[in-house]
Amino acid sequence: MKKVEHIGIAVKNIEDASLVFDKIFGKSAYKDERVESEHVTTRFYKMGETKIELLDSDNKDSAISKFIDKKGGGMHHIAFHVDDIYAEIKRLKELGFTILNEEPKEGADNKLISFLHPKSTAGVLIELCQEKND
Ligand code: CMX
């Protein structure tokens, strides 16, 4: 794993949350992106190398809606940049981690993504992400 690619924060309403984060970061988000497969709207901020992704969802059965229903929102996942997502999935599976999707799926920001179940990772939802053009 090379670096933290982004940190995901689940929010009830992306416009309301942006009012808060615009003030905290002292800048506006640089892009929005809809990820249909995950039923989410994402909004990205960047400070230096660090990216923060806000996520809200309009689908009550989505991972983000369930998380918000249960915890009210907040830090949802940490995403790590990997060069070869297939090799990382294989490595982590062999080490006994529960891979939520062994076949990587298309995520926001031109990435292939896969998740490790938080029950196998000390309670933290971990996302692996590889640049699609790598
Ligand atoms: N971080 C830490 N723990 C989490 C969690 C999160 N983000 N989401 C759920 N959990 C916990 C639940 O609180 C629950 O804990 P307890 O059993 O102690 O109550 C446990 O994980 C299992 O929860 P569950 O109810 O059985 O399962 P869910 O239906 O809530 O699904 C998860 C949890 C992780 C399997 C599901 O959210 C998932 O598949 N996530 C991967 C996809 C995803 O998160 N997509 C959205 C982001 C997309 C993007 O970045 O583009």
Side-chain angles (χ1 to χ4, degrees):
M1 290 190 188
K2 290 281 175 68
K3 62 173 186 177
V4 172
E5 212 288 326
H6 65 266
I7 293 173
I9 298 176
V11 299
K12 284 184 189 158
N13 178 294
I14 214 158
E15 299 304 335
D16 291 347
S18 297
L19 296 175
V20 174
F21 286 102
D22 284 2
K23 284 183 200 151
I24 293 170
F25 301 145
K27 58 162 73 172
S28 302
Y30 68 96
K31 76 164 177 176
D32 286 2
E33 193 175 332
R34 177 81 190 157
V35 183
E36 284 304 336
S37 59
E38 296 292 314
H39 311 288
V40 293
T41 300
T42 67
R43 179 166 287 180
F44 284 89
Y45 290 84
K46 193 167 188 183
M47 283 77 59
E49 284 260 301
T50 306
K51 283 194 261 176
I52 303 290
E53 176 188 36
L54 304 186
L55 305 115
D56 84 0
S57 177
D58 50 12
N59 182 314
K60 67 176 177 49
D61 297 322
S62 69
I64 293 297
S65 293
K66 282 189 191 169
F67 180 83
I68 288 171
D69 285 349
K70 199 163 182 182
K71 303 199 175 175
M75 226 204 73
H76 182 258
H77 64 265
I78 303 179
F80 291 92
H81 171 93
V82 298
D83 286 336
D84 181 344
I85 195 166
Y86 292 94
E88 277 303 298
I89 289 170
K90 183 169 180 291
R91 181 180 76 84
L92 293 164
K93 191 181 172 190
E94 282 169 4
L95 287 171
F97 293 97
T98 307
I99 315 294
L100 283 163
N101 57 298
E102 288 189 35
E103 184 54 38
K105 47 190 178 181
E106 297 206 359
D109 212 21
N110 198 39
K111 300 284 192 296
L112 286 176
I113 62 173
S114 179
F115 290 88
L116 309 187
H117 199 293
K119 287 282 177 197
S120 69
T121 56
V124 179
L125 178 59
I126 291 182
E127 177 182 330
L128 307 176
C129 56
Q130 178 193 324
E131 202 72 46
K132 265 207 286 189
N133 300 329
D134 269 0

